[in-house]
Amino acid sequence: MTTLLTVEDLRVTFPTRQGPSEVVRGVSFTLGRERLGIVGESGSGKSQTGRAILGLTPPPGKAMAKVLDFDGIDLRAASPATWRTLRGARMSMVMQDPKFSLNPVMTIGRQLMEALKFGATQPRSEAKARAIAMLEAVQIRDPERVFRAYPHELSGGMGQRAMIAMMLVTEPDLLIADEPTSALDVTVQVEVLRILDRLVAERGMGLIFISHDLRLVSSFCDRVLVMYAGRVVEELKASELKQAQHPYTRGLMNCLPQIEGGQRPLPVLERDAAWAR
Amino acid sequence: MTALSRREWLLSDQPKSRRQARLGQVYRTWLAFRSNWLAMVGLAIVLILILVAVLADVIAPFDPVIGGDLRTERFLPPLSEGHLFGTDDLARDIFSRIVHGSRLTLMVVVLVAVIATPIGLLVGTTSGYFGGWTDTVLMRVTDIFLAFPRLILALAFVAALGPGIENAIIAIAITSWPPYARLARAETLTIRDSDYISAARLQGASSARILWYHITPLCLSSVIIRVTLDMAGIILTAAGLGFLGLGAQPPQPEWGAMIASGRRFLIDQWWVATVPGIAIFIVSLGFNLLGDGLRDVLDPKARK
Amino acid sequence: MGEVMLSVESLGVTFTRGGDTVRAVRGVSFDVARGESFGIVGESGSGKSTVLRAICGLAPTSAGRIALGGQTLATPRPATFYRQVQMVFQDPYASLHPRHTVDKVLSEPLAIHGFSDREARIEQALADVGLGPSFRFRYPHQLSGGQRQRVAVARALILEPQILLLDEPTSALDASIQAEVLNLLDRLRAERGLTYLMVSHDLAVVAHMCERLIVMQHGLAVEELTRAALAAHRAETDYTRALLAASAGYTPATA
Ligand SMILES: Nc1ncnc2c1ncn2[C@@H]1O[C@H](COP(=O)(O)OP(=O)(O)OP(=O)(O)O)[C@@H](O)[C@H]1O
Ligand SMILES: Nc1ncnc2c1ncn2[C@@H]1O[C@H](COP(=O)(O)OP(=O)(O)OP(=O)(O)O)[C@@H](O)[C@H]1O
Ligand SMILES: [Mg+2]
Ligand SMILES: [Mg+2]
């Protein structure tokens, strides 16, 4: 399998008054044209890892790595001009907070068309047709209306799907999806995942799928990285997640409620200081 | 309490009282502000302006209005004995006039800020929050005010109300609120549909309460930044009106009027017009630097 | 079923803007008994949040009747309504005012309704949701997602309502924190005899929390189920069956 992205010893630090705090501490992995899942609890550094790959670490944070290579391009030394040709067109990211990431005073349609501008130039009517087709593809029932709607007029899940549509219109080679389906019901979720799956299988897109939903990741991804306190504590084949060794991974699995009924109260994760070392 | 522990108290992540939380927030903003030396220069200029205005009677060696001996003391050049900046055509000490003029400048700045900011905030947040009819009417009114160039509208007002510094201030205040209303409305539009506003409504908060406690604080910082940055323009407008003879009236030591009366002697007695020009320049620069610094610490969008 | 606390009868909600008309809810009916926990699941965009917002008077009701304790609710809602019904929003990152400390968030409803013993109530509310007094004067940006959602629950509970409307209270939280928040909600209901109306897209969460539920699709309630029926995968409609199947995880398209 061809390697699309190589990350070695990625570190992200934020300066604080108590000294620099490292929120991603030496993450290494390679990504081919496959589906890689990153799971872990809130604050474990999943989003910061994704952002660092795209060079979007929020200032004053700093990202460093021994190797950060995308399709032969060294991202560490990339100039702003290189980034412009990469971001949006070749690599994009679905951000975690759809309501935060969508502009509240611009219609969805205008924002989609804006995203299309990063891709090839084309007539307006064609761009609109593509935007609407993309909204349809993410299972939005009434794409014409949603095209004209403002973000607050959409349900939580529709906003999230609009975000996904926006990132997919340009057909990137690498997509980092940060909790892309957390507000979707399971049937729509499956459809959205199918789109991603198809892009991986047919167009050879590389996908990094960040999620806290273990059940979903284990059934959707090929490989899974489990993160805890900024570090990868376990790397597994997704299908073997149930046989995970690390107590943290096992704890995360146990917290999930079951349709068939289960323990009450739900077991909560007991953290061990040793995991963070 | 030692200095170190007071600092820790302020920066605590777990404040123990309302006061500590608020002071901590202010202190953090101050720390961020302090690290920007240009902003500190701006702040220093503004503080000096305030100090000079307050202590004008003590600082100024001569009376600003009554001149000295017209035969011997006219047009003394700068640095002549007793007259740091020289004297003007009526043998008045320019330094004393500048010092007293700072009061007028400060009065313009403060009154315009006190009049225009609340009007702008009120109109903007109300129109953004209620939308619909209210919005249409208020924004058309704003547009009308916005469509006139400020100096010309101020001229018209002064022409109608009669020249004088008070009327100039009113004219400037009335013409400077529309941009603030625009800004406040734009901010309000981005927050009025958010969940925390719905949550406030759900607790039974009245519209007035939501506007005042929930929306205004979020619009305030961007409006304050804008007002500070506008101050330079406002000072220049006031000086412009003074220059045109429609603002402060002689013999008031207003800086714009001083330039106007000094321009006749610009070639031979350059200092009469130049010194107040420099004063206007420095104070405008101070407000601009201060505004830029405030934007860096207060505006979360600019920080990103 | 015991005494009916909240009843919704053929509720319709229509939004209009410009030329667009959205019939977000098209005739939904259900009754929630006192002390019961009732769930709404369904397709994204099917109008689940809108039902909750309509009950609170935040969305325009175009048809039907909403009654609380047998009395039809007036629009706009009277002040006493907010003492009885409160809501927890979907996104903990969007539901707290960025410039208000936890203390301010909690004292605001008390000030609006003119309570006198505010100090004690705020401390109690924080203790109820398992946040210590050290959290009281923090700003939202100093809190994690789970802690924010706890503050939102505390805000909803501080007026001592009888009904809590929960809009996907855990969808933005990770598994370990979801477990904490669900346990918290469970405990509070047991202690105070609260009535819950809970929206979720996660069938497992609804099965864990609710005794009965309805399934919504395109603004309609397509099916009503009990917890036992859900656990046994006994569903009547195709859509519910599809939901149950999809809940098991992702399956690649067979076609
Ligand atoms: N701008 C920032 N300044 C300082 N620290 C930050 C900043 N952004 C994130 N962090 C810290 O970085 C750590 C990792 O954050 P990150 O957003 O990657 O978590 P996550 O794994 O995506 O969690 P979640 O599931 O909640 O999204 C957290 O502890 C967070 O507090
Ligand atoms: N203020 C509004 N103006 C116009 N349309 C709206 C408004 N609010 C909601 N809608 C529409 O109503 C429909 C139902 O939205 P609602 O938020 O109730 O969905 P939901 O079932 O909660 O979905 P999700 O699970 O994705 O949150 C959507 O089609 C949405 O676009
Ligand atoms: Mg994240
Ligand atoms: Mg919803």
Side-chain angles (χ1 to χ4, degrees), chain B residues 29 35 46 78 93 102 104 154-155 160-161 165 174 178 181 191 225 235 260 286:
Chain B
T29 312
S35 61
V46 172
D93 179 43
S102 68
L104 291 175
L155 276 175
L161 299 172
I165 186 84
I174 288 176
I191 46 191
I225 292 161
I235 293 170

Side-chain angles (χ1 to χ4, degrees), chain B residues 252-268:
Chain B
Q252 276 184 312
E254 203 272 330
W255 295 349
M258 285 167 73
I259 299 181
S261 60
R263 76 181 191 280
R264 279 174 290 151
F265 328 111
L266 196 59
I267 308 290
D268 298 318

Side-chain angles (χ1 to χ4, degrees), chain B residues 18 196 198 202-203 209 214, chain C residues 82 94 97 103 108 113 155:
Chain B
R18 240 160 256 179
Y196 52 84
S198 295
L202 249 191
Q203 285 155 357
R209 192 178 180 98
H214 297 259
Chain C
Y82 303 115
H97 194 287
D103 173 72
E108 183 73 359
H113 292 273
R155 169 175 66 190

Side-chain angles (χ1 to χ4, degrees), chain A residues 59-131:
Chain A
K62 289 246 167 356
M64 282 162 297
K66 283 220 185 76
V67 180
L68 196 58
D69 180 287
F70 169 72
D71 205 12
I73 303 167
D74 184 2
L75 295 181
R76 292 174 309 166
S79 64
T82 317
W83 275 124
R84 271 198 300 279
T85 61
L86 287 178
R87 272 188 216 135
R90 296 203 57 202
M91 47 207 299
S92 34
M93 178 162 179
V94 179
M95 296 284 180
Q96 186 166 8
D97 277 306
K99 288 252 167 93
F100 257 36
S101 316
L102 290 171
N103 184 340
V105 289
M106 221 199 237
T107 61
I108 298 294
R110 256 187 75 194
Q111 299 187 49
L112 266 171
M113 309 273 275
E114 205 107 304
L116 268 173
K117 278 201 204 118
F118 289 115
T121 45
Q122 52 196 331
R124 233 190 105 75
S125 58
E126 198 177 305
K128 183 172 176 192
R130 261 184 76 190

